[in-house]
């Protein structure tokens, strides 16, 4: 492990020297690429240098302990710190998800359960909007199809960071674990007998793709326009401004009806389509890759039931990690940190175990 770190230190020093050269910044795209790699290697370099320093501290304390036993405590403290830094290094060296710095498009779709499922989809949307607000992200609802009682049959929202973020701490790094089927157990607003019902909503999270990442040919698209639909009133357009785009080679469809103009709806639908095409390409690559490269927390099968929200017990349970807590009301108000962290920790542990096996 430490031989690999030494090589990374050499690369880090070389990148630092290159980034200090003004001529490198003439090519902004290349400069950004180098800066990103430098930022990725900096925590490894910092941790490794601290690890080496503890080795020197341990040796010095042991030498002094021969004359003064009080230094034995200092040696033990440095040994404990060295063990901590060794574990940190192992985690830092685990291959990162290349999409972790990306923003996302998050979609929530009502499932079985009719109006109750649509109301739950609305609850999930609010939960993600509140969570984004808590961590300082920007959100933008791209498309929404409301139900009669105020829920959502389906809704798409773009979630973005504000400004720069630390490597591996983008929106995708946190929200990628949310994809799957979310189940709710509660007495629906439409239930007159007070019986508990079970329904579900699906969540799809895809990293938002830049235009340069996904090549889309105009001849591969079928674009249909139609009138937007909704619960009634002013939300229903009187012109054919809604847009549905079908990518013919893959059959992937994206639509948008939220904006007032056909051009705006087309642009938003293309954003969704690019992200779906990127996700499809990456999932195909994952299927072809070895099992060791796949995440053992986040599955490609988006129909997997991942979480249950039990209202009578105020309980939330994540079925992948075993996480359970009794603060459902707070979670639905955006306090998702503990739930998501359980997925992050389980994913890191699985990747670390796979790396050690290899």
């Amino acid at each position: 492990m430490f031989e690999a770190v030494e090589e990374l230190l050499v690369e880090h020093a070389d990148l630092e020297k290159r980034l200090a050269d003004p001529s490198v910044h003439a090519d902004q795209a290349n400069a950004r690429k180098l800066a990103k790699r430098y930022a990725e290697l900096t925590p490894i370099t910092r941790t490794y240098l601290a690890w080496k320093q503890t080795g020197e501290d341990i040796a010095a304390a042991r030498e002094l302990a021969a004359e003064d036993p009080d230094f034995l405590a200092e040696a033990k403290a440095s040994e404990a710190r060295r063990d901590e830094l060794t574990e940190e290094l192992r985690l830092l060296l685990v291959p990162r998800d290349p999409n972790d710095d990306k923003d996302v498009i998050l979609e929530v779709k009502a499932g079985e359960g009719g109006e109750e499922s649509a109301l739950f989809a609305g609850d999930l949307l609010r939960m993600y909007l509140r969570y984004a607000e808590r961590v300082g992200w920007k959100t933008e609802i791209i498309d929404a199809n409301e139900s009669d009682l105020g829920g959502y049959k389906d809704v798409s929202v773009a979630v973005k960071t504000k400004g720069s973020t630390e490597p591996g701490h983008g929106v995708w790094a946190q929200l990628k674990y949310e994809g799957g089927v979310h189940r709710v157990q509660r007495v629906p607003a439409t239930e007159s007998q007070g019986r508990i019902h079970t329904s579900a909503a699906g969540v799809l999270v895809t990293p938002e793709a830049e235009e340069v990442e996904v090549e889309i040919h105009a001849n591969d698209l079928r674009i249909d326009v139609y009138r937007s639909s909704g619960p009634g009133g002013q939300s229903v357009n009187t012109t054919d401004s809604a847009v549905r785009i079908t990518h013919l080679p893959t059959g992937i469809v994206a639509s948008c009806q939220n904006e007032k103009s056909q051009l705006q709806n087309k642009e938003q639908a293309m954003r969704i389509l690019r992200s779906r095409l990127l996700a499809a390409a990456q999932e195909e690559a994952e299927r072809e890759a070895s099992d060791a490269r796949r995440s053992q927390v986040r599955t490609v099968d988006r129909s997997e039931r991942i979480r249950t929200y039990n209202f009578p017990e105020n309980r939330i349970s994540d079925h992948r990690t075993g996480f359970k807590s009794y603060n459902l009301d707070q979670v639905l108000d955006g306090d998702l940190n503990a739930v998501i962290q359980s997925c992050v920790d389980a994913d890191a542990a699985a990747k670390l175990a796979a790396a050690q096996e290899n």
Side-chain angles (χ1 to χ4, degrees):
M1 177 179 78
F2 298 109
E3 290 180 5
V5 177
E6 291 285 0
E7 293 177 3
L8 294 177
L9 256 67
V10 172
E11 182 185 355
H12 184 264
D14 178 63
L15 286 168
E16 187 172 36
K17 187 182 299 183
R18 293 171 68 184
L19 287 168
D21 182 355
S23 64
V24 169
H25 297 272
D27 183 347
Q28 285 296 310
N30 182 53
R32 283 194 296 270
K33 181 180 178 181
L34 296 177
K36 181 179 179 182
R37 179 60 175 166
Y38 179 79
E40 290 173 355
L41 294 180
T42 295
I44 298 174
T45 300
R46 187 189 307 121
T47 304
Y48 181 61
L49 292 176
W51 179 86
K52 288 186 70 174
Q53 182 61 51
T54 57
E56 296 174 8
D57 293 343
I58 291 168
R62 285 175 177 170
E63 185 178 341
L64 293 169
E67 299 179 4
D68 186 350
D70 289 343
F71 281 98
L72 283 174
E74 186 176 323
K76 289 182 179 179
S78 294
E79 287 170 358
R81 178 57 181 157
R82 189 179 178 84
D83 290 341
E84 292 175 3
L85 291 169
T86 301
E87 190 62 24
E88 285 182 30
L89 267 178
R90 285 201 179 99
L91 289 174
L92 286 170
L93 291 172
V94 171
R96 290 200 310 112
D97 184 336
N99 289 322
D100 275 352
D101 298 325
K102 290 185 178 292
D103 298 324
V104 309
I105 291 180
L106 184 145
E107 303 172 58
V108 185
K109 299 178 182 292
E112 297 180 2
E115 284 291 345
E116 162 60 10
S117 178
L119 289 170
F120 178 52
D123 292 337
L124 290 178
L125 172 65
R126 180 180 180 276
M127 177 181 75
Y128 292 125
L129 294 178
R130 292 284 293 118
Y131 175 66
E133 183 182 339
R134 283 170 180 255
V135 298
W137 294 338
K138 295 185 295 184
T139 57
E140 172 194 1
I141 294 181
I142 299 175
D143 190 35
N145 185 6
E146 297 182 32
S147 68
D148 292 335
L149 294 184
Y152 288 92
K153 296 176 183 178
D154 55 79
V155 57
S156 301
V157 56
V159 187
K160 298 177 174 290
T161 55
K162 292 181 179 179
S164 60
T165 184
E166 292 183 28
H169 288 77
V171 181
W172 173 258
Q174 305 300 311
L175 291 185
K176 61 184 175 182
Y177 305 103
E178 295 303 299
V181 174
H182 296 240
R183 184 178 67 170
V184 62
Q185 295 172 324
R186 66 182 177 188
V187 179
T190 54
E191 169 61 52
S192 59
Q193 302 298 318
R195 294 171 296 187
I196 297 174
H197 287 226
T198 298
S199 61
V203 175
L204 176 68
V205 187
T206 52
E208 182 156 12
E210 301 291 339
E211 290 189 37
V212 294
E213 292 180 288
V214 180
E215 187 177 6
I216 302 176
H217 299 288
N219 292 338
D220 291 338
L221 302 178
R222 186 180 72 232
I223 301 176
D224 301 308
V225 296
Y226 58 98
R227 293 190 180 183
S228 64
S229 59
Q234 294 181 349
S235 61
V236 178
N237 289 341
T238 56
T239 60
D240 293 338
S241 61
V243 175
R244 180 187 301 110
I245 303 176
T246 303
H247 186 249
L248 299 175
T250 61
I252 293 176
V253 179
S255 61
C256 184
Q257 62 177 7
N258 262 31
E259 305 296 339
K260 294 181 179 180
S261 78
Q262 190 180 112
L263 178 61
Q264 289 173 314
N265 280 325
K266 181 181 176 182
E267 290 174 351
Q268 298 287 42
M270 284 297 294
R271 287 177 65 185
I272 298 173
L273 180 64
R274 277 195 297 269
S275 295
R276 289 180 179 174
L277 287 173
L278 178 63
Q282 290 171 340
E283 287 178 1
E284 179 61 29
E286 285 179 8
R287 281 193 289 269
E288 294 175 358
S290 64
D291 290 340
R293 290 178 56 199
R294 299 183 188 179
S295 166
Q296 295 184 25
V297 174
R298 181 176 176 271
T299 176
V300 171
D301 180 6
R302 303 205 186 262
S303 65
E304 179 194 17
R305 186 191 69 191
I306 64 166
R307 198 172 291 153
T308 294
Y309 303 74
N310 186 301
F311 275 69
E313 298 179 15
N314 197 34
R315 169 172 51 85
I316 182 167
S317 306
D318 194 290
H319 305 296
R320 301 159 298 176
T321 66
F323 175 87
K324 185 182 295 184
S325 68
Y326 292 85
N327 63 335
L328 176 58
D329 52 342
Q330 296 174 37
V331 170
L332 287 173
D333 193 42
D335 188 6
L336 268 171
N337 285 330
V339 189
I340 291 176
Q341 191 61 46
S342 73
C343 296
V344 172
D345 293 343
D347 196 12
K351 288 178 179 176
L352 182 59
Q356 290 174 337
E357 287 178 6
N358 295 335

